[in-house]
Amino acid sequence: MDYDYREKKSVLILNAKLKVGVALTVAAHLGTSMGFHGEEHMGREWLSDKSGVRHRGLPRYPLMVFKAKVAQLREALNKARETPELLVIDCPSILLDTAGDDELATALEEMNEQDVDYMGILIHGSRDVVDSITGKLRPWW
């Protein structure tokens, strides 16, 4: 596996107003979705410790978590969507009011994009491009 882990990065940008439990749920949903979108994101499938116990691999590129005000989150999302080489995943707040994927799909189909309230987004791609979008945001911690 020959790559430079500094070439790319992933960022989660979460709405700063989210309670911790909701923020963790949003992060889990976004991370799960990212994992579905290709092996390019993943490091080794298995890691082994000295005892021979195997551990599932983790993503190969750094992942940072930021918090943002609603306007900052939407601005980052719009910039990321304008950049075709980025993987962009969003998590609308309507997720919390729906029961399952079909209900979520139906609810989104009935909304205009400008009315969608986002709890968080994930952006993955070239480090320089991602940094240009997220450079002014504060880390979650």
Side-chain angles (χ1 to χ4, degrees):
M1 187 173 298
D2 190 25
Y3 68 95
D4 181 353
Y5 75 92
R6 294 167 292 215
E7 289 176 359
K8 297 182 179 187
K9 77 187 292 187
S10 301
V11 296
L12 288 170
I13 305 172
L14 301 173
N15 183 325
K17 293 183 179 182
L18 295 179
K19 292 182 180 179
V20 173
V22 175
L24 292 171
T25 300
V26 171
H29 278 278
L30 291 168
T32 300
S33 184
M34 180 181 154
F36 174 79
H37 291 285
E39 294 180 19
E40 187 268 339
H41 310 291
M42 294 304 299
R44 297 173 187 226
E45 183 177 359
W46 291 101
L47 306 167
S48 296
D49 64 30
K50 187 175 180 178
S51 306
V53 175
R54 291 176 10 138
H55 308 267
R56 286 283 179 185
L58 297 168
R60 68 170 66 174
Y61 300 108
L63 185 135
M64 298 290 299
V65 182
F66 295 97
K67 59 182 165 183
K69 295 178 180 176
V70 172
Q72 293 172 306
L73 194 148
R74 185 169 281 280
E75 179 182 357
L77 177 59
N78 290 338
K79 286 181 181 178
R81 284 179 172 161
E82 293 170 0
T83 311
E85 67 267 19
L86 295 177
L87 170 64
V88 181
I89 304 167
D90 63 67
C91 186
S93 63
I94 193 74
L95 171 81
L96 300 177
D97 298 323
T98 57
D101 196 50
D102 291 336
E103 230 179 88
L104 175 60
T106 300
L108 279 173
E109 288 168 359
E110 295 173 0
M111 298 176 77
N112 290 314
E113 196 281 334
Q114 69 266 16
D115 298 327
V116 176
D117 177 40
Y118 296 101
M119 295 186 292
I121 62 174
L122 182 144
I123 304 170
H124 171 81
S126 164
R127 178 182 290 270
D128 293 339
V129 176
V130 173
D131 284 347
S132 74
I133 293 171
T134 62
K136 295 180 182 178
L137 298 178
R138 296 187 341 224
W140 183 265
W141 59 81

